[in-house]
Amino acid sequence: MSFEEDDRVVLNDEHSEFDGETGTVTQTMESMFGDVTYTVSFEDGQETGVPEDDLEAADEDDDEE
């Protein structure tokens, strides 16, 4: 599943300080090999270069605003 800017997502990366948090996709980047990575903005910062496999769509109930 690919994501678009402004999509709400949950990050699943045990090496990230934002693991398990819900954020918003702020940018998508495609490499010359066709791989897409994302920049995700969270309440306390952002994570860049996030692969699609580390993201899942957030439930509507996950909105913290």
Side-chain angles (χ1 to χ4, degrees):
M1 171 181 198
S2 63
F3 299 99
E4 303 292 327
E5 287 185 26
D6 298 324
D7 283 354
R8 301 282 293 161
V9 294
V10 176
L11 178 64
N12 295 308
D13 178 0
E14 63 186 36
H15 303 291
S16 171
E17 64 182 288
F18 302 110
D19 183 38
E21 290 191 28
T22 301
T24 304
V25 174
T26 57
Q27 185 177 16
T28 62
M29 297 151 287
E30 186 171 343
S31 74
M32 59 190 248
F33 304 107
D35 299 324
V36 177
T37 60
Y38 301 90
T39 299
V40 182
S41 179
F42 299 94
E43 189 173 307
D44 296 329
Q46 71 177 11
E47 188 82 20
T48 59
V50 180
E52 189 174 310
D53 291 345
D54 288 355
L55 298 174
E56 66 181 71
D59 293 333
E60 294 298 320
D61 297 340
D62 286 346
D63 282 343
E64 298 170 0
E65 299 177 42

